[in-house]
Structure formats: structure tokens, C-alpha cells
Amino acid sequence: QKYLEGIGGILIPGGFGSRGVEGKIKAIQYARENKIPFLGLCLGMQTAAIEFARNACGMKGANSTEFEPDAKDPVISLLEEQKGVKDIGGTMRLGVYPCEIKKGSIAFKAYGKDLVLERHRHRYEFNNKYRDLLSKNGMVFSGIYPNKNLVEMVEVKGHPYFIAVQYHPEFKSKPDKPHPLFRDFIKAALKK
């Protein structure tokens, strides 16, 4: 925590594997509990869900099956149709997918619309079995891929700027035209 004091915002990027995950989870907890602006991308969303499940919902065994295949509470896991697949090369959710955005959310404020198309590159997803419990404890599921009812965005109720997305907004961001989530994250960090 001493390394995070005085910072304006925390961004957790995408990635694969377990390296550094527990440190990411601690940084997310610090951002959530101290109202520090937070943006999570892909693995950043997955670790945000794990952190919230562990520390806001009391599920100490919450994890991703990518890091702990026999996790007590696999809040992040492979889709049912991917379980048992031996050649994982073709199991990745890759490309552009639609996302329906909840009105009144941080995401809706950033985008200014209720449907966006965003690019994906990942294999693990939020496990919908845990959606009700996390929602009851203050997690907002602000973006959904409607075709399969998959979680695309999460926010934390009452936090000034805490949003994490399953997709990769950096793929659609340019120096002269930043992605709306990056733009608003920077604004929130500057305010802090």
C-alpha cells in the first residue's frame, strides 16, 4: 500500500498467466476501498471480479480457473462449451462483439450510447453463477454481450470512477482520438 499512496489512478492491463495476479488484486482493492480512479482491461476486469468476490463478498476461495483449476469459487472460468477442449488454440473469443450498456452507468456516460462494438482477445469469462451475489454486494454489471449474456463491463456502486472491461479498448484508441474510457479515466485521475 505504501507504493500506491498519492497516486491519481490505477490501470490494470490485459495479460495471460498468474504472474503478478495477487499484486494486481491488492492494487484493485486499494483503488476500490480508497476511491482511487480505476480502469481494468481484460485480465484487469477478471482480477477486479476476483478482488470484489474475495473482499466485498467474503469468498476467500474466489479465483480464476486459469490460475487455480480447482478454485472453490471460480468467478472467472472457461465457457461451458470450452471445458474439456484439449487444443485451446481455437477457444479464444477473438474479434469484434456488441456490448449493450446500462443507462446511468459510468460506461454510458463515457460512450454516450447504449450499444458499442469492441474488440476481444481472451479465453476466460466472468462466471454468471456469481452475478447475483456480486450484484447484491454492490457490483454493477454495466455491459453485456447480448447473444450469450456474457459480462463485458463491471463497475462498483458508489465509486467515483471504477470500471473494468473484458475487451481491449486500447485496440480502438489513437493519440488524436482516445477511447472514451481512457479519456474519462484520465479526467477522473486528474481530478483526484
Side-chain angles (χ1 to χ4, degrees):
Q1 290 184 6
K2 67 180 179 178
Y3 300 111
L4 300 175
E5 288 176 16
I7 61 168
I10 296 175
L11 186 149
I12 302 289
F16 292 92
S18 61
R19 186 171 165 247
V21 164
E22 293 303 319
K24 289 175 176 84
I25 290 169
K26 287 178 183 171
I28 295 165
Q29 181 179 8
Y30 184 84
R32 184 177 59 79
E33 291 177 349
N34 293 284
K35 307 281 191 210
I36 305 292
F38 172 77
L39 177 60
L41 313 176
C42 196
L43 180 61
M45 190 207 90
Q46 295 172 5
T47 49
I50 293 166
E51 185 283 321
F52 195 86
R54 286 181 186 176
N55 300 308
C57 302
M59 293 189 298
K60 298 301 175 199
N63 215 326
S64 169
T65 58
E66 178 181 8
F67 317 134
E68 192 178 322
D70 298 319
K72 182 179 177 200
D73 289 303
V75 294
I76 305 296
S77 65
L78 289 172
L79 294 174
E80 278 305 314
E81 63 262 26
Q82 294 177 342
K83 292 179 180 171
V85 174
K86 298 286 184 242
D87 179 16
I88 63 170
T91 61
M92 188 172 281
R93 184 149 71 106
L94 194 59
V96 175
Y97 290 85
C99 175
E100 290 180 349
I101 301 175
K102 185 176 187 173
K103 286 187 169 77
S105 64
I106 292 169
F108 187 82
K109 184 179 177 192
Y111 284 101
K113 51 187 166 182
D114 55 12
L115 183 68
V116 295
L117 299 172
E118 291 287 357
R119 291 176 57 191
H120 290 254
R121 187 178 190 281
H122 63 95
R123 186 168 287 115
Y124 291 82
E125 302 278 353
F126 181 86
N127 185 340
N128 279 332
K129 292 176 188 170
Y130 294 92
R131 214 148 128 188
D132 286 344
L133 178 61
L134 271 65
S135 181
K136 284 177 189 164
N137 284 282
M139 182 161 270
V140 177
F141 297 95
S142 58
I144 303 295
Y145 169 45
N147 301 21
K148 291 200 172 191
N149 192 30
L150 298 176
V151 172
E152 300 279 58
M153 297 183 207
V154 298
E155 301 179 13
V156 172
K157 196 180 288 184
H159 194 289
Y161 193 89
F162 187 106
I163 184 167
V165 298
Q166 183 58 77
Y167 50 83
H168 289 268
E170 69 273 20
F171 292 165
K172 293 178 80 177
S173 197
K174 296 181 169 109
D176 60 339
K177 190 175 181 203
H179 189 283
L181 295 178
F182 288 121
R183 180 199 63 218
D184 287 5
F185 172 67
I186 297 296
K187 282 182 186 175
L190 287 171
K191 252 190 227 179
K192 182 73 181 163

